[in-house]
Amino acid sequence: MSTALRDFIKNPTAAELELVARYGMQPEDARRERAFLAFAETGLPHRRMEAWKWTDFKAALKVLETPAAVSAKDPLPHDGALVFRFTPKGFEAPAKLPDGIRMVAQPSVQAFPGAEDVPMGALAAALAGSGKRPATLTFEITSGDAPRLHFVFEGAGEASFARIIFLVRSGASLTLTESYLGGSGLTSAVLEFDMEKDAKLNRTIFQRGASDEALAVTAIAHLGAEAEMTQTTLAFGAKVARMETRVVHQASGSKLNLNAAYLSGMGFHADITTNVRHGAPSCVTRQLTKGAVLDGGTGVFQGKFFVPRKTGQHTDADMQHQALLLEDGAQVFAKPELEIYADDVECAHGNTCGALDDAQMFYLRQRGIPETQARAMLTEAFIAEALGMADEAVRDVLLAEAQTWLSS
Amino acid sequence: MRPMLKITDLSATVGEDSEAKTILNGLSLDVPAGEVHAIMGPNGAGKSTLSYVLTGRSGYEVTGGGATLNGEDILGMDPEDRAAKGMFLSFQYPVEIPGVPVMTFVRTAMNAQRKARGEAEISAPDFIKKSREVAGMLNLDAEMLKRPVNVGFSGGEKKRLEIYQMMMLEPKFLILDETDSGLDIDALKTVADGVNAMRDPSRGMLVITHYQRLLDYIKPDKVHVLAKGRIIKTGEADLALRLEKEGYDGVLGEAA
Amino acid sequence: MDCCGGTTEHEDDCGEVKVKDSIDAKTVEAAKALESENYSAGFSTTIDTDFAPKGLSEDTIRYISAAKNEPEWLLEWRLKAYERWLTMEEPSWAMVRYPKIDYQAYYYYAAPKAGAKYASIDDVPKEILETYEKLGIPLREAEVLLGVEGAVETAAEGREKPRVAVDAVFDSVSVATTFRKELEKAGVIFMSISEAVHEYPDLVKKYLGTVVPQSDNFFATLNSAVFSDGTFVYIPKGVRCPMELSTYFRMNAENTGQFERTLIIADESAYVSYLEGCTAPMRDENQLHAAVVELVALEDAEIKYSTVQNWWPGDEDGKGGIFNFVTKRGDCRGDRSKISWTQVETGSAVTWKYPSCILRGDDSVGEFYSIAVTNGRQQADTGTKMIHLGKRTKSRIISKGISAGKSDNTYRGLVSVNRKAVNARNFTQCDSLLIGDKCGAHTIPYVENRCASAQLEHEATTTKLSEDQLFYARQRGIAEEDAVALLVNGFVRDVLQHLPMEFAVEAQSLLKVSLEGSVG
Ligand SMILES: Nc1ncnc2c1ncn2[C@@H]1O[C@H](COP(=O)(O)OP(=O)(O)O)[C@@H](O)[C@H]1O
Ligand SMILES: [Mg+2]
């Protein structure tokens, strides 16, 4: 079988061969096969693919290896939350879930439409379920005041995959926090959100990894009428790390806040990629991404608003990306993109990239604040803007994590 | 004598088909040449709607009745054709037009109107001379006229710029929609002086206002009260004072 | 048809100007506007034309080179490019769709045969003169282009300052260059590139292909293999070119590709302002245009390059029109040099064009001001690349896209800052205006910053033509189409300001023509 499997991917690297082998060890499943074929179409995404030109998994991940360090400690509070853990040993969930939250852990793979657009998501869907982990975890939320769900992803050696589906029923609301803590050579998770009419989601993502790890978190959300989604990401990157979010406004009146901050130091690469489709009239998107990068670090922002003819009328969408290059040797790549076919829309994007504002620095120093402190204050304030909409249970922790990084 | 502006039983809706809302509901009003009529009415009564329907803004549908200017049906005409016939609206909310300087704008408008009427274009020196005179009268800075139309102008400046355009274009029939709002007392006097200078036996004016204050400076021949989409009361200049004292409720109650 | 080899050049000294090939007298009967309401340049001219054999092969290239009596090195250069081109693939990343181009279906060289020129302005049909006027070619210069004898002197006297010297390219060859003598006095070299190859081989050899290398991209490589003619400009040290220089391109022959090559060099502290205008008659076939423009600015030099392009955009159903695949690049080689691109793009069925600046010299400056209008079924994918290499380099990008009809208009740009480009600055503003609900407006900026002290700023908006503004203007008596033109002119004002005065006026009326029928 393995020779035939070899042919899945053209000129495979050692890492890709290992992935093919892992696929070969899975039980046969037509849906799994479809997902894997979608991944195999390109193999690990690389710089010759337009969407991956700045984030090259193929080059960064030659072989699958267990990283040198174990997972980072989870800074997000577990108190008051229902905690779900993907650990090296398997998957842990609370013994009992309150009314309004239902969890189904399936051994089989769910169909994954649109897998071709997200090769790393397709890979996660194809390989989730190894070890003692479920192939697909599905949550159904029917309650309007369910406690926060907190997911912890701790490494499992060479590679770790997860696939989670959330169905947020009409009028229900979900507060979700996720900690991606590294500890695995390759981590890929794919999360899908199906939000019905009036459903609400507040999602917060904390990501921290090591400079010998690769990570991709792919989220796909569909928003029903008047649904509201707010997402906040704080990412520290890894050797390569991509936090990708694709949102479809599916019915009119839905609202999306899409915020992220990335902090990337020596040897780290943090990529925030988003794609928002205004597939229904009168939907609103507000997007703010902030980044700070040190010597030897890389930040990537790719954002796209797609507004189709007719269905996208009365779209109100704004995308802002602002990056600070704090030291020589830092690099930032950005592509804020608008593709618009409807005429009665208000769409804007802005992108700034550079050092701290001289005028602001001077103002603070004139008032007696020493340069280093002034710099820290301004940088913290700059990053904090992107974190302000995170759920209040975790907001301060995110701010503190960002502060610690900035002041060290 | 035939009135200059004659509105008969006018009804109009606003909004898309399914959500169309009737705003004007059988409104009748005559304004003879040489007279100034004031229209007063509570917020949302339909005053601005009337001014838009008369000048042909899209989004409003006439569902009944009619309006003529000097005997000519105007409601079927394009906005620019009504303008060429002499209709001028001083907007309640003047529109910003980035990149188009005031002078360019007004000169384009003036020549378009002249052309439509079969008149010769105004020469550049004549235009500039006229512009200087008018701007002087309204205390408008010449620099302001080089800036794009209404962009970055204060509320009061915008209103003065409306009057500037009015005096430049010398329309036959004037509609002033809340031209007094946002003006301090000095600016109000300047604007009123401009309007009074336009008073002429051949001109008609409809002055829409919320407060009677403006009418201290522009003396109306008649005052109409617009409520629920029609004129519910008409009186002499003193009606405005009564409205001020008794409020719309008092007057409306009496009319009902 | 006659495919005789040898030279088609017919040198004829006509006062200051060399009229090499003039337009056949048959033009008089034949040149009349085809059924085009909107495209004023859509007449074709019936003239006897020499063609290279149809299609592309080594033989075609040898034919072209021989026809132009080129030196061996240039033939080698072309053949090398051709060899390279055979291995390349047509790019597909732009947001434009067009039927597959059959590169063998084009003529790669077409030259009007020598014929009579007009004896006086009175002999030139009124329609032609009017059309030239509409095209923005100064009337007196039009006489020159049409080969009216004695026109040059009249042109020189008749024009107010600033004057414009014109090089006219008709299909593949340069037809006339005006004001040559006066320019020579200032030391300015302004001639067709084929002439420059003979007269200034060292300069051409030194700079040709140094900004846009032969292998740069599919279309540039094709151009390197088959380029037929174009303009060569050299401004010597310290010289401020005494007048605007201008090239006027016209595609006439059927199934013809036009592959002109322009090379402009501003030596230290020199200055030149250059304008390029393009038109093509209406033809059903898609004509191919793959030009290369190379600019070199040495220390303290400045080049201002303005383009007004109204190639035939095709009809309302998208039939016909020019495929415009152009590589334009400026190299700010010297410190404190400056290159400024201004373009008004109203034509072509498909536009693929990114006038760029390589900011190599310290303190050098690159600018890109663009207005791109698409209507009907036009597709434009245009923008710029600013490559910051030198210290304190600055760039500024102002792009105004206007989409109407069923067209698609894409801004695609790159701002790239090298690690060594300390204190580099970029400001980018991209605004899109949608007129009607069947068109598209897209903005795809790429930013690559590797320098911490650089400051880059990008803003973009997409809005529709405002109903309120339209009504406001109409309430003041301005007819709807004029009101649209007025608002659009307001929208693009920031860019129009950067065009030389008389071309700005021309561009304004061009905008209006391009947008006719887009509302109501
Ligand atoms: N475009 C519109 N769509 C829906 N309602 C409108 C629209 N324009 C005006 N209206 C409504 O019509 C009524 C009359 O408005 P308007 O004529 O502006 O009042 P006034 O000028 O007397 O204050 C108000 O209730 C207003 O909300
Ligand atoms: Mg009002």
Side-chain angles (χ1 to χ4, degrees), chain B residues 14 21 23 42-49 60:
Chain B
V14 62
K21 189 170 137 193
I23 308 291
N43 271 329
K47 303 183 296 295
S48 293
T49 302
Y60 297 86

Side-chain angles (χ1 to χ4, degrees), chain B residues 113-142:
Chain B
Q113 289 195 24
R114 288 184 175 216
K115 193 169 160 212
R117 291 194 291 258
E119 300 164 13
E121 295 201 342
I122 189 166
S123 74
D126 285 351
F127 179 83
I128 291 168
K129 191 161 155 267
K130 191 179 168 84
S131 169
R132 256 196 222 123
E133 279 168 23
V134 172
M137 211 183 311
L138 295 170
N139 283 327
L140 279 177
D141 189 5

